[in-house]
Amino acid sequence: MSADPRSNVASFKAMFAGLADFAALVEPNGAVLHVNGSGLRLVDRATDELSGLTVDQLSPHAAQLIGEWIPAAIAEGQWEGEGELRKSDGSSVPVQLTIAPISDGGRVAAAAIVARDLSEGLRLEEELQRRFLQQEAITAATSTPIIQVWDDIVTMPVVGLVDSVRAADMKNTLLEAVSRTGARFAIVDLTGVDTVDTATADHLLRVMRAVRLLGARCVITGIQPAVAQIIVGLGLELQGVVTLRSLREGLRFCLRRLGFRVTREEQVLDLAAIAAS
């Protein structure tokens, strides 16, 4: 290669022509010798703007490029890191930079700069993060809802798969609700749970015992046959835990223990009166 890198611009044009990333040939003083087609499109510039173009017009990191990154590439043979390119309207594009020195007879004649656009990846990452946080919020709001059905009664209907992580979340949520409301009864309704693993079954029973330590009584309703078999098979103790067939029976049990009289009254609808209203 000759001492003047401009005489070799044609060879680098051919080398960079088919590259999908931004690629430029820059002199150590910051003068831009060449930018490939992909690079020009990325920074929104035309080919005729190359004449007299300097690196400070292409990047907000011009001082670092000339003073730090290119010298580091010369010293180590290559430099890699993240930076930004500047578009013609002044906006910035985040990029992954690779800088390599181009030498001629032991003298550095220029630096080749290749930049990969990171904006699409960052947008995707931000979108995934947004969706993750949204899903987390939905899960937190619906996975372990606590309903205060009476002054001294709270209920936690559980639906779907219960693993150890969710069981731990249920325990925290239920204990917080019992402590906050001063409830005397906590109903855990498992009607919507078809099966649990052995570790989760044990964890659920620990939840019930923890409720007792807060001075409340735990009632389990709606245990499905498969769940009952697991509990029996493990030999887990249900001492102190009331189990009832349905949530309705659980509510009736709690209300009676609170001193309320629970009766069923037949209601007759007057269709004529409804139609006339």
Side-chain angles (χ1 to χ4, degrees):
M1 180 173 179
S2 68
D4 182 5
R6 295 177 187 273
S7 63
N8 290 284
V9 169
S11 62
F12 284 100
K13 283 184 178 181
M15 185 186 303
F16 294 154
L19 200 62
D21 297 324
F22 173 100
L25 188 63
V26 177
E27 290 186 336
N29 64 3
V32 178
L33 301 176
H34 175 66
V35 179
N36 69 345
S38 297
L40 291 173
R41 285 190 291 273
L42 182 61
V43 295
D44 289 332
R45 291 187 179 274
T47 305
D48 57 11
E49 294 183 75
L50 277 174
S51 180
L53 195 64
T54 57
V55 74
D56 62 307
Q57 295 173 279
L58 291 180
S59 174
H61 307 295
Q64 289 171 290
L65 274 165
I66 297 172
E68 298 177 25
W69 299 345
I70 291 179
I74 294 172
E76 301 174 13
Q78 183 171 295
W79 181 90
E80 291 186 359
E82 291 187 5
E84 293 176 310
L85 292 177
R86 179 177 286 147
K87 302 179 76 170
S88 59
D89 62 3
S91 61
S92 295
V93 180
V95 292
Q96 175 68 37
L97 289 168
T98 300
I99 304 173
I102 300 172
S103 300
D104 176 55
R107 185 183 71 86
V108 175
I113 300 176
V114 176
R116 173 155 295 178
D117 184 2
L118 297 179
S119 54
E120 185 61 32
L122 291 175
R123 280 195 295 270
L124 178 59
E125 183 178 341
E126 290 174 359
E127 176 64 16
L128 290 175
Q129 181 69 9
R130 185 190 66 78
R131 292 187 182 185
F132 174 78
L133 293 175
Q134 185 181 51
Q135 186 60 43
E136 284 283 290
I138 293 172
T139 300
T142 61
S143 62
T144 52
I146 300 294
I147 304 169
Q148 186 166 3
V149 293
W150 203 259
D151 289 342
D152 292 309
I153 307 172
V154 295
T155 180
M156 182 172 67
V158 184
V159 179
L161 178 66
V162 180
D163 56 17
S164 297
V165 174
R166 187 179 178 196
D169 180 58
M170 288 166 51
K171 180 183 73 172
N172 295 335
T173 303
L174 184 59
L175 294 181
E176 190 279 331
V178 170
S179 176
R180 174 172 46 81
T181 62
R184 293 171 56 188
F185 289 91
I187 303 174
V188 178
D189 182 49
L190 301 180
T191 303
V193 179
D194 295 326
T195 184
V196 294
D197 58 29
T198 54
T200 303
D202 183 60
H203 206 134
L204 285 173
L205 293 180
R206 292 176 187 272
V207 172
M208 315 311 168
R209 297 189 189 105
V211 169
R212 290 177 58 193
L213 293 177
L214 293 181
R217 190 167 186 181
C218 197
V219 178
I220 303 179
T221 62
I223 294 180
Q224 299 301 302
V227 177
Q229 290 178 10
I230 292 173
I231 293 174
V232 172
L234 291 174
L236 298 176
E237 291 291 335
L238 292 178
Q239 184 177 0
V241 179
V242 177
T243 57
L244 295 169
R245 181 175 301 175
S246 66
L247 179 58
R248 178 181 296 178
E249 291 185 11
L251 289 171
R252 186 180 292 121
F253 171 85
C254 295
L255 288 170
R256 284 173 175 167
R257 289 298 183 276
L258 290 172
F260 293 96
R261 182 180 178 186
V262 182
T263 60
R264 176 182 294 178
E265 295 183 1
E266 297 293 338
Q267 293 185 343
V268 179
L269 297 179
D270 188 340
L271 298 180
I274 295 174
S277 61

